[in-house]
Amino acid sequence: MTSSEVNTDMKARTLRRHMKESMKNLGRNGWMTFASVSAVTVTLILVGVFFVIMMNLNQVATTIEEDVEIRVHIDLAATEEDQKVMKEKIEKLARVESVEFSPKEAELDGLIDSLGEEGEAFKLFEQDNPLNDVFIVKTKNPQDTMTVAKEIEKMEYASKVKYGQDMVENLFDFINVSRNVGIVLIIGLLFTAMFLISNTIKITIIARKREIEIMRLVGATNSFIRWPFFLEGLMLGVLGAIIPIVLISFLYHYAYGYIAPRLEGHFIQILEFNPFIYQVAAVLILLGALIGVWGSLMSVRKFLKV
Amino acid sequence: MIDMQDVFKKYPNGVVAANGINVHIAQGEFVYVVGPSGAGKSTFIKMMYREEKPTQGTITINGIDLGKLKDSKVPLLRRNIGVVFQDFKLLPTLTVYENVAFALEVIEEEPKKIKKRVMETLDLVNLKHKARMLPTELSGGEQQRVSIARSIVNSPKVMIADEPTGNLDPETSWDIMNLFDEINNRGTTIVMATHNRDIVNTMRHRVIAIEGGQIIRDEQRGEYGYES
C-alpha cells in the first residue's frame, strides 16, 4: 500500500468519525436540534416566498422593460428633409439605442391588423390617412425612457411623444421599492436565523466543553475539533430547508396553475414551474447550509482560542 | 529539555504571575513545583504546554521556541506533552478504554495502533481488567490512573501534573506517586505542582518553590519547606 492510499483511508475514516459524532450530538440534543431546524424552517419559508415573488416581479419587469418604447408622432408639417434632420438629432441623444421610422401607411396597417375584423372599417382611410409618421425610439436602459422622452418632446416637429408615462414610472418605482424591501427583509431574516442557530449550538457546546478541552489538551487540531460542528450546522441547515422547499413547491405549483392561464395572450408572464422551482430549491438549500454552518462555526470559535 | 529565560507573565487584570523566571529542566528529571496558592505555580505549568503565553521572555521545550510557535502548531507540541489534573477531566459517557483511546483518535492515529497502545497503557496503570467500566464506577485513584493513562498513551517526552493527588486520600496518593515514579523511570520528564508535603519530603526529587511569581528556592532532593 502506498502512502497516499494510507492517507485517503485515514481521511475517510476521520470523516466517518466526524459524521458519527455530529449525528450523535444532534440526537443527544434533540430539542435543541428541533429548535434550530424550526428556526431555519421558518426563516427559509419567508425568504423563499419573498424570493419567489421577487424573481417573478423581476421577470415581469424585464418583459415590460424589453417592450418599452417611445413613439414620437411627427408633425404633419415636417418635410422629408426635416424628418431626416430630426432622426439624426434623436440618434445623437446619449441614451438612445435605436430609432426606427414607421411611415403613416405602416401605422394604419398596424392599427387595422390589431383591430381584426373591426379594423376593416379603417380601410376607408387608406386614401386619406389621418395618422402621423412615427419614430419608434428605444433607449439603452429602459429606466431612461422618461428622460429621453422629455428631451424629444422639446424638439421641433415632435407633435406628440408617447411612452405610457404613468405605467412605466409607477412600475419601476414599485419594482425598485419592493426589491429593496425584499432584500432588507431577507438579510434581516437570515441574520436572525444565524443567531438562533449559533445560540442553540452554543448551548450544546457548553455541554461539550470538557470534550473540547481534552481534545485541545491531547493535541487535536482546531480543524479536527471544528469538523463535527461544521457538519452539525450543515445538517441543521439542510434539514431546515426541506419543509420550505416542499411547501413552496406546492404553493407555486397551484399559483402557477391559477395565474399562468389568465396571463395567456398578455405579454407579461410568470416564471415556469420547471425549472424555476429547482432554482428555488437550490437557493434554499444553499442558504440553509450557509446559515447553519456559519451559526455553528461562530459559536465554536470562542472555544478554540489558544 | 525545558528552558525558561527571564519569563514574565502579566494577566490583563494586572496580576503578575511570573516575575522573571529562569529555569532549566533536563530530560528525565522529576521536579516538584511547590508554593502557596496564588504564587504562580499554575501559570508556570500552563506556560509549558502553551495554555498561557508569557508577556516577556523565552520558553523552549524540546528545542521548540514557544514564543515563535504558530497557533496552528500548538497541537503538535501538545502531542509531546501529557497533562494530568486534580479533577481527572474524564468523559463520563465513555468507558475507561474509550477515554484513553480518545486521545489517540482525535490525533487521527491508526485504529490498529490505537488498540495496541491503549491496552499496553491500561496494563501499565493496572486497569486492564476495568477497561469496559465507566469512570463513575471507579474510585478516585482509579479515575486518576485512567487520566494518567490518557496522558501517556501517546508516549510524550514530558508529563505535566497539576495537583494530581489533590483529590485523593493519602494511601491512594502513594499509589499514584509510585505510578509517576515508574513513568519517570522510563525516561519521561515529570513536572508536578503539588501541596502534598508528605510526598515531597518522602519521595525525594528536585523542588522548585515559587512565591510571588519568582523562584525563591531550587534544590535537588529538596524538601517541601512549608508548614502545611
Side-chain angles (χ1 to χ4, degrees):
Chain A
M1 210 194 291
T2 66
S3 65
S4 73
E5 271 174 303
V6 173
N7 249 329
T8 42
D9 178 48
M10 288 228 328
K11 268 179 199 158
R13 197 183 64 232
T14 307
L15 191 66
R16 266 205 304 281
R17 179 187 192 276
H18 291 321
M19 287 293 276
K20 220 176 75 189
E21 276 298 301
S22 41
M23 297 284 220
K24 209 168 73 189
N25 275 306
L26 289 179
R28 196 156 58 194
N29 302 296
W31 281 106
M32 283 299 158
T33 305
F34 180 73
S36 296
V37 171
S38 311
V40 181
T41 301
V42 171
T43 311
L44 288 185
I45 287 176
L46 292 171
V47 168
V49 169
F50 273 118
F51 182 73
V52 166
I53 292 174
M54 269 173 57
M55 289 303 281
N56 274 297
L57 270 180
N58 230 358
Q59 163 77 7
V60 169
T62 319
T63 35
I64 292 175
E65 277 172 357
E66 278 165 7
D67 225 68
V68 172
E69 55 187 27
I70 305 169
R71 299 175 60 83
V72 185
H73 293 236
I74 306 164
D75 198 297
L76 294 168
T79 63
E80 243 175 75
E81 191 58 28
D82 292 333
Q83 288 185 353
K84 226 168 134 190
V85 173
M86 191 177 176
K87 186 171 186 234
E88 276 165 18
K89 260 168 86 184
I90 296 174
E91 274 168 346
K92 269 187 204 144
L93 290 175
R95 284 173 270 197
V96 168
E97 164 124 334
S98 68
V99 183
E100 209 185 304
F101 179 71
S102 167
K104 57 187 171 190
E105 291 78 20
E107 289 294 300
L108 186 62
D109 286 347
L111 185 65
I112 292 167
D113 278 352
S114 71
L115 292 175
E117 277 187 20
E118 287 162 40
E120 297 290 318
F122 286 91
K123 284 200 169 162
L124 293 173
F125 288 113
E126 267 172 6
Q127 308 310 316
D128 185 19
N129 190 340
L131 300 178
N132 301 56
D133 291 331
V134 169
F135 282 133
I136 297 166
V137 181
K138 290 216 168 190
T139 53
K140 284 180 187 141
N141 184 344
Q143 321 248 10
D144 295 329
T145 308
M146 199 171 69
T147 350
V148 172
K150 291 244 160 83
E151 277 177 76
I152 297 174
E153 249 171 11
K154 287 181 217 146
M155 289 180 186
E156 216 180 339
Y157 303 121
S159 79
K160 242 195 253 169
V161 178
K162 285 190 175 171
Y163 62 95
Q165 285 91 329
D166 296 347
M167 192 192 78
V168 170
E169 277 169 49
N170 289 343
L171 185 75
F172 287 150
D173 281 352
F174 174 69
I175 288 171
N176 272 336
V177 169
S178 51
R179 253 183 214 157
N180 294 340
V181 169
I183 287 170
V184 169
L185 277 174
I186 285 178
I187 290 175
L189 285 168
L190 290 179
F191 268 99
T192 316
M194 282 183 195
F195 284 111
L196 279 172
I197 290 192
S198 97
N199 271 326
T200 317
I201 292 194
K202 215 177 270 166
I203 293 169
T204 75
I205 285 182
I206 289 167
R208 284 143 82 185
K209 217 174 138 184
R210 165 149 293 186
E211 202 178 314
I212 294 175
E213 189 189 351
I214 295 164
M215 285 204 249
R216 294 189 50 219
L217 215 53
V218 298
T221 58
N222 277 354
S223 66
F224 183 93
I225 299 173
R226 233 182 255 126
W227 258 99
F229 291 99
F230 172 83
L231 290 174
E232 273 174 61
L234 192 72
M235 286 188 240
L236 288 177
V238 173
L239 281 177
I242 293 174
I243 292 176
I245 289 172
V246 172
L247 193 74
I248 288 173
S249 298
F250 270 110
L251 286 179
Y252 198 69
H253 183 74
Y254 284 112
Y256 186 79
Y258 182 81
I259 296 170
R262 284 167 178 74
L263 288 177
E264 216 157 298
H266 296 264
F267 67 100
I268 55 168
Q269 47 186 249
I270 60 171
L271 293 156
E272 267 178 65
F273 183 76
N274 176 12
F276 179 57
I277 210 66
Y278 293 105
Q279 294 161 358
V280 174
V283 166
L284 290 183
I285 288 182
L286 202 72
L287 280 178
L290 269 177
I291 49 183
V293 166
W294 189 84
S296 108
L297 290 186
M298 271 283 287
S299 48
V300 78
R301 208 178 49 171
K302 170 175 110 170
F303 290 90
L304 291 181
K305 286 206 178 116
V306 182
Chain B
M1 178 78 225
I2 300 173
D3 251 304
M4 289 198 187
Q5 277 178 21
D6 303 320
V7 170
F8 287 84
K9 172 71 187 181
K10 189 177 181 180
Y11 285 101
N13 62 11
V15 173
V16 178
N19 195 359
I21 289 184
N22 282 288
V23 76
H24 175 80
I25 296 169
Q27 172 71 49
E29 265 195 281
F30 195 132
V31 180
Y32 294 119
V33 181
V34 301
S37 303
K41 297 191 302 285
S42 284
T43 303
F44 179 74
I45 273 182
K46 279 181 181 165
M47 286 191 295
M48 288 182 189
Y49 60 97
R50 207 173 174 280
E51 184 65 24
E52 295 291 348
K53 286 189 226 177
T55 353
Q56 262 181 62
T58 49
I59 302 174
T60 319
I61 292 190
N62 268 336
I64 303 167
D65 184 342
L66 299 198
K68 289 183 184 150
L69 189 69
K70 281 193 208 144
D71 283 358
S72 60
K73 299 285 181 209
V74 171
L76 299 179
L77 168 82
R78 301 242 172 109
R79 290 176 194 187
N80 276 310
I81 301 176
V83 190
V84 175
F85 298 92
Q86 180 172 2
D87 61 353
F88 323 136
K89 295 194 194 295
L90 299 175
L91 296 172
T93 52
L94 302 185
T95 64
V96 167
Y97 176 91
E98 287 165 340
N99 262 289
V100 178
F102 186 79
L104 293 177
E105 275 166 14
V106 299
I107 60 170
E108 299 174 69
E109 191 56 86
E110 279 176 56
K112 273 184 229 155
K113 267 196 196 161
I114 293 180
K115 192 163 185 214
K116 188 164 164 280
R117 287 292 303 147
V118 174
M119 289 322 280
E120 281 170 8
T121 314
L122 283 179
D123 198 22
L124 176 70
V125 301
N126 242 323
L127 279 175
K128 214 172 172 179
H129 57 293
K130 297 200 169 173
R132 288 188 180 181
M133 288 184 156
L134 291 172
T136 43
E137 296 167 323
L138 303 179
S139 71
E142 287 169 328
Q143 289 187 43
Q144 189 59 299
R145 277 192 274 156
V146 178
S147 131
I148 291 170
R150 183 180 62 197
S151 76
I152 59 167
V153 71
N154 195 28
S155 319
K157 291 203 175 89
V158 186
M159 216 180 146
I160 292 169
D162 197 352
E163 305 262 3
T165 58
N167 277 356
L168 305 175
D169 57 64
E171 205 176 317
T172 320
S173 296
W174 281 111
D175 282 351
I176 294 297
M177 286 313 296
N178 286 328
L179 183 55
F180 274 115
D181 231 18
E182 199 179 330
I183 294 165
N184 178 237
N185 287 337
R186 294 170 171 230
T188 308
T189 312
I190 293 180
V191 180
M192 180 187 296
T194 184
H195 276 133
N196 196 321
R197 177 197 172 94
D198 282 349
I199 284 174
V200 176
N201 288 344
T202 311
M203 201 180 258
R204 288 297 182 92
H205 291 293
R206 178 177 173 188
V207 175
I208 293 176
I210 294 183
E211 255 180 66
Q214 286 177 314
I215 296 181
I216 55 158
R217 185 158 55 92
D218 184 351
E219 301 166 332
Q220 297 297 330
R221 303 187 61 76
E223 289 197 6
Y224 185 72
Y226 293 96
E227 274 316 303
S228 64

mmCIF file of all heavy atoms in Angstrom, chain B residues 46-74:
data_model
loop_
_atom_site.group_PDB
_atom_site.id
_atom_site.type_symbol
_atom_site.label_atom_id
_atom_site.label_comp_id
_atom_site.label_asym_id
_atom_site.label_seq_id
_atom_site.Cartn_x
_atom_site.Cartn_y
_atom_site.Cartn_z
ATOM 1 N N LYS B 46 1.188 26.113 33.144
ATOM 2 C CA LYS B 46 0.388 26.346 31.927
ATOM 3 C C LYS B 46 1.217 26.906 30.789
ATOM 4 O O LYS B 46 0.920 26.663 29.619
ATOM 5 C CB LYS B 46 -0.760 27.314 32.235
ATOM 6 C CG LYS B 46 -1.956 26.643 32.885
ATOM 7 C CD LYS B 46 -3.041 27.659 33.142
ATOM 8 C CE LYS B 46 -4.234 26.992 33.818
ATOM 9 N NZ LYS B 46 -5.134 28.011 34.378
ATOM 10 N N MET B 47 2.261 27.675 31.135
ATOM 11 C CA MET B 47 3.094 28.225 30.070
ATOM 12 C C MET B 47 3.868 27.133 29.351
ATOM 13 O O MET B 47 4.229 27.272 28.202
ATOM 14 C CB MET B 47 4.040 29.290 30.643
ATOM 15 C CG MET B 47 3.311 30.583 30.985
ATOM 16 S SD MET B 47 4.412 31.975 31.352
ATOM 17 C CE MET B 47 5.227 31.420 32.822
ATOM 18 N N MET B 48 4.106 25.995 30.053
ATOM 19 C CA MET B 48 4.871 24.911 29.435
ATOM 20 C C MET B 48 4.090 24.229 28.322
ATOM 21 O O MET B 48 4.676 23.790 27.338
ATOM 22 C CB MET B 48 5.247 23.864 30.481
ATOM 23 C CG MET B 48 6.306 24.348 31.417
ATOM 24 S SD MET B 48 6.711 23.044 32.561
ATOM 25 C CE MET B 48 7.750 23.949 33.679
ATOM 26 N N TYR B 49 2.790 24.098 28.477
ATOM 27 C CA TYR B 49 2.042 23.488 27.365
ATOM 28 C C TYR B 49 1.276 24.550 26.576
ATOM 29 O O TYR B 49 0.339 24.254 25.854
ATOM 30 C CB TYR B 49 1.171 22.314 27.821
ATOM 31 C CG TYR B 49 0.104 22.576 28.859
ATOM 32 C CD1 TYR B 49 -1.213 22.805 28.480
ATOM 33 C CD2 TYR B 49 0.407 22.544 30.207
ATOM 34 C CE1 TYR B 49 -2.197 23.005 29.416
ATOM 35 C CE2 TYR B 49 -0.576 22.757 31.156
ATOM 36 C CZ TYR B 49 -1.880 22.985 30.760
ATOM 37 O OH TYR B 49 -2.862 23.189 31.688
ATOM 38 N N ARG B 50 1.710 25.778 26.743
ATOM 39 C CA ARG B 50 1.236 26.927 25.986
ATOM 40 C C ARG B 50 -0.268 27.146 26.108
ATOM 41 O O ARG B 50 -0.943 27.503 25.158
ATOM 42 C CB ARG B 50 1.614 26.823 24.512
ATOM 43 C CG ARG B 50 1.743 28.227 23.864
ATOM 44 C CD ARG B 50 2.298 28.051 22.456
ATOM 45 N NE ARG B 50 2.339 29.273 21.684
ATOM 46 C CZ ARG B 50 1.286 29.800 21.066
ATOM 47 N NH1 ARG B 50 0.109 29.247 21.174
ATOM 48 N NH2 ARG B 50 1.421 30.893 20.348
ATOM 49 N N GLU B 51 -0.759 26.905 27.313
ATOM 50 C CA GLU B 51 -2.132 27.298 27.597
ATOM 51 C C GLU B 51 -2.108 28.806 27.862
ATOM 52 O O GLU B 51 -3.074 29.507 27.615
ATOM 53 C CB GLU B 51 -2.651 26.521 28.808
ATOM 54 C CG GLU B 51 -4.116 26.754 29.163
ATOM 55 C CD GLU B 51 -5.066 26.261 28.099
ATOM 56 O OE1 GLU B 51 -4.704 25.378 27.315
ATOM 57 O OE2 GLU B 51 -6.209 26.796 28.040
ATOM 58 N N GLU B 52 -0.974 29.267 28.402
ATOM 59 C CA GLU B 52 -0.744 30.701 28.579
ATOM 60 C C GLU B 52 0.557 31.071 27.884
ATOM 61 O O GLU B 52 1.492 30.290 27.848
ATOM 62 C CB GLU B 52 -0.625 31.046 30.079
ATOM 63 C CG GLU B 52 -1.893 30.819 30.886
ATOM 64 C CD GLU B 52 -3.013 31.783 30.537
ATOM 65 O OE1 GLU B 52 -2.751 32.784 29.824
ATOM 66 O OE2 GLU B 52 -4.163 31.533 30.963
ATOM 67 N N LYS B 53 0.562 32.286 27.328
ATOM 68 C CA LYS B 53 1.795 32.779 26.707
ATOM 69 C C LYS B 53 2.449 33.789 27.637
ATOM 70 O O LYS B 53 1.754 34.596 28.241
ATOM 71 C CB LYS B 53 1.463 33.499 25.392
ATOM 72 C CG LYS B 53 1.093 32.588 24.257
ATOM 73 C CD LYS B 53 1.003 33.402 22.976
ATOM 74 C CE LYS B 53 -0.254 33.045 22.206
ATOM 75 N NZ LYS B 53 -0.422 33.851 21.004
ATOM 76 N N PRO B 54 3.769 33.757 27.759
ATOM 77 C CA PRO B 54 4.423 34.767 28.602
ATOM 78 C C PRO B 54 4.342 36.150 27.953
ATOM 79 O O PRO B 54 4.283 36.249 26.729
ATOM 80 C CB PRO B 54 5.872 34.285 28.657
ATOM 81 C CG PRO B 54 6.061 33.444 27.453
ATOM 82 C CD PRO B 54 4.729 32.831 27.141
ATOM 83 N N THR B 55 4.298 37.188 28.795
ATOM 84 C CA THR B 55 4.304 38.540 28.228
ATOM 85 C C THR B 55 5.709 38.889 27.748
ATOM 86 O O THR B 55 5.867 39.664 26.808
ATOM 87 C CB THR B 55 3.869 39.571 29.294
ATOM 88 O OG1 THR B 55 3.437 38.893 30.473
ATOM 89 C CG2 THR B 55 2.725 40.405 28.796
ATOM 90 N N GLN B 56 6.719 38.306 28.409
ATOM 91 C CA GLN B 56 8.115 38.570 28.035
ATOM 92 C C GLN B 56 8.925 37.317 28.297
ATOM 93 O O GLN B 56 8.549 36.493 29.123
ATOM 94 C CB GLN B 56 8.678 39.681 28.933
ATOM 95 C CG GLN B 56 8.669 41.067 28.314
ATOM 96 C CD GLN B 56 9.277 42.045 29.301
ATOM 97 O OE1 GLN B 56 10.433 41.919 29.671
ATOM 98 N NE2 GLN B 56 8.486 43.010 29.741
ATOM 99 N N GLY B 57 10.076 37.214 27.637
ATOM 100 C CA GLY B 57 10.957 36.082 27.894
ATOM 101 C C GLY B 57 10.720 34.938 26.929
ATOM 102 O O GLY B 57 9.756 34.959 26.151
ATOM 103 N N THR B 58 11.638 33.954 26.969
ATOM 104 C CA THR B 58 11.513 32.827 26.045
ATOM 105 C C THR B 58 11.366 31.516 26.802
ATOM 106 O O THR B 58 11.965 31.309 27.848
ATOM 107 C CB THR B 58 12.743 32.713 25.119
ATOM 108 O OG1 THR B 58 13.919 32.786 25.929
ATOM 109 C CG2 THR B 58 12.782 33.812 24.092
ATOM 110 N N ILE B 59 10.538 30.647 26.249
ATOM 111 C CA ILE B 59 10.360 29.303 26.788
ATOM 112 C C ILE B 59 10.673 28.334 25.652
ATOM 113 O O ILE B 59 10.140 28.470 24.551
ATOM 114 C CB ILE B 59 8.915 29.085 27.270
ATOM 115 C CG1 ILE B 59 8.553 30.118 28.338
ATOM 116 C CG2 ILE B 59 8.745 27.668 27.808
ATOM 117 C CD1 ILE B 59 7.103 30.066 28.758
ATOM 118 N N THR B 60 11.567 27.392 25.928
ATOM 119 C CA THR B 60 11.902 26.397 24.908
ATOM 120 C C THR B 60 11.614 25.003 25.467
ATOM 121 O O THR B 60 11.991 24.696 26.588
ATOM 122 C CB THR B 60 13.395 26.486 24.532
ATOM 123 O OG1 THR B 60 13.758 27.858 24.461
ATOM 124 C CG2 THR B 60 13.661 25.843 23.203
ATOM 125 N N ILE B 61 10.898 24.215 24.684
ATOM 126 C CA ILE B 61 10.635 22.845 25.090
ATOM 127 C C ILE B 61 11.036 21.929 23.952
ATOM 128 O O ILE B 61 10.585 22.131 22.818
ATOM 129 C CB ILE B 61 9.150 22.650 25.446
ATOM 130 C CG1 ILE B 61 8.870 23.456 26.713
ATOM 131 C CG2 ILE B 61 8.819 21.178 25.635
ATOM 132 C CD1 ILE B 61 7.551 23.213 27.332
ATOM 133 N N ASN B 62 11.900 20.945 24.250
ATOM 134 C CA ASN B 62 12.348 20.037 23.185
ATOM 135 C C ASN B 62 12.942 20.795 22.014
ATOM 136 O O ASN B 62 12.800 20.381 20.862
ATOM 137 C CB ASN B 62 11.159 19.243 22.646
ATOM 138 C CG ASN B 62 11.001 17.940 23.387
ATOM 139 O OD1 ASN B 62 11.971 17.443 23.959
ATOM 140 N ND2 ASN B 62 9.797 17.434 23.390
ATOM 141 N N GLY B 63 13.531 21.945 22.282
ATOM 142 C CA GLY B 63 14.110 22.729 21.198
ATOM 143 C C GLY B 63 13.112 23.598 20.460
ATOM 144 O O GLY B 63 13.476 24.319 19.533
ATOM 145 N N ILE B 64 11.824 23.548 20.844
ATOM 146 C CA ILE B 64 10.821 24.380 20.180
ATOM 147 C C ILE B 64 10.647 25.669 20.975
ATOM 148 O O ILE B 64 10.357 25.631 22.173
ATOM 149 C CB ILE B 64 9.464 23.657 20.106
ATOM 150 C CG1 ILE B 64 9.604 22.325 19.383
ATOM 151 C CG2 ILE B 64 8.418 24.537 19.409
ATOM 152 C CD1 ILE B 64 8.403 21.414 19.542
ATOM 153 N N ASP B 65 10.847 26.788 20.309
ATOM 154 C CA ASP B 65 10.655 28.086 20.953
ATOM 155 C C ASP B 65 9.153 28.408 20.957
ATOM 156 O O ASP B 65 8.562 28.679 19.917
ATOM 157 C CB ASP B 65 11.435 29.150 20.171
ATOM 158 C CG ASP B 65 11.351 30.521 20.838
ATOM 159 O OD1 ASP B 65 10.444 30.724 21.677
ATOM 160 O OD2 ASP B 65 12.195 31.376 20.508
ATOM 161 N N LEU B 66 8.562 28.349 22.128
ATOM 162 C CA LEU B 66 7.102 28.522 22.204
ATOM 163 C C LEU B 66 6.653 29.909 21.770
ATOM 164 O O LEU B 66 5.536 30.100 21.311
ATOM 165 C CB LEU B 66 6.592 28.247 23.624
ATOM 166 C CG LEU B 66 6.820 26.860 24.200
ATOM 167 C CD1 LEU B 66 5.907 26.625 25.380
ATOM 168 C CD2 LEU B 66 6.605 25.779 23.156
ATOM 169 N N GLY B 67 7.546 30.898 21.932
ATOM 170 C CA GLY B 67 7.196 32.255 21.516
ATOM 171 C C GLY B 67 7.036 32.357 20.017
ATOM 172 O O GLY B 67 6.260 33.163 19.518
ATOM 173 N N LYS B 68 7.790 31.513 19.302
ATOM 174 C CA LYS B 68 7.739 31.585 17.838
ATOM 175 C C LYS B 68 6.773 30.553 17.260
ATOM 176 O O LYS B 68 6.557 30.508 16.055
ATOM 177 C CB LYS B 68 9.144 31.355 17.261
ATOM 178 C CG LYS B 68 10.074 32.530 17.515
ATOM 179 C CD LYS B 68 11.434 32.292 16.877
ATOM 180 C CE LYS B 68 12.378 33.436 17.238
ATOM 181 N NZ LYS B 68 13.769 32.971 17.301
ATOM 182 N N LEU B 69 6.237 29.718 18.141
ATOM 183 C CA LEU B 69 5.352 28.648 17.670
ATOM 184 C C LEU B 69 4.014 29.224 17.218
ATOM 185 O O LEU B 69 3.341 29.945 17.954
ATOM 186 C CB LEU B 69 5.126 27.653 18.816
ATOM 187 C CG LEU B 69 4.400 26.358 18.473
ATOM 188 C CD1 LEU B 69 5.270 25.488 17.588
ATOM 189 C CD2 LEU B 69 4.047 25.614 19.752
ATOM 190 N N LYS B 70 3.649 28.906 15.989
ATOM 191 C CA LYS B 70 2.357 29.394 15.485
ATOM 192 C C LYS B 70 1.207 28.690 16.208
ATOM 193 O O LYS B 70 1.333 27.531 16.589
ATOM 194 C CB LYS B 70 2.245 29.068 13.990
ATOM 195 C CG LYS B 70 3.009 30.018 13.108
ATOM 196 C CD LYS B 70 2.567 29.786 11.657
ATOM 197 C CE LYS B 70 3.661 30.144 10.681
ATOM 198 N NZ LYS B 70 3.692 29.258 9.524
ATOM 199 N N ASP B 71 0.105 29.403 16.330
ATOM 200 C CA ASP B 71 -1.072 28.814 16.975
ATOM 201 C C ASP B 71 -1.434 27.472 16.344
ATOM 202 O O ASP B 71 -1.830 26.532 17.030
ATOM 203 C CB ASP B 71 -2.271 29.761 16.856
ATOM 204 C CG ASP B 71 -2.162 30.916 17.843
ATOM 205 O OD1 ASP B 71 -1.177 30.923 18.618
ATOM 206 O OD2 ASP B 71 -3.027 31.798 17.831
ATOM 207 N N SER B 72 -1.280 27.407 15.028
ATOM 208 C CA SER B 72 -1.706 26.190 14.339
ATOM 209 C C SER B 72 -0.785 25.010 14.654
ATOM 210 O O SER B 72 -1.142 23.859 14.409
ATOM 211 C CB SER B 72 -1.744 26.430 12.831
ATOM 212 O OG SER B 72 -0.455 26.800 12.378
ATOM 213 N N LYS B 73 0.416 25.287 15.203
ATOM 214 C CA LYS B 73 1.354 24.196 15.509
ATOM 215 C C LYS B 73 1.261 23.759 16.975
ATOM 216 O O LYS B 73 1.927 22.803 17.365
ATOM 217 C CB LYS B 73 2.794 24.649 15.217
ATOM 218 C CG LYS B 73 3.037 25.020 13.768
ATOM 219 C CD LYS B 73 3.126 23.780 12.899
ATOM 220 C CE LYS B 73 3.404 24.168 11.459
ATOM 221 N NZ LYS B 73 2.845 23.204 10.504
ATOM 222 N N VAL B 74 0.463 24.483 17.752
ATOM 223 C CA VAL B 74 0.343 24.147 19.178
ATOM 224 C C VAL B 74 -0.105 22.687 19.379
ATOM 225 O O VAL B 74 0.437 21.992 20.226
ATOM 226 C CB VAL B 74 -0.593 25.136 19.900
ATOM 227 C CG1 VAL B 74 -0.905 24.665 21.309
ATOM 228 C CG2 VAL B 74 0.057 26.513 19.953
#
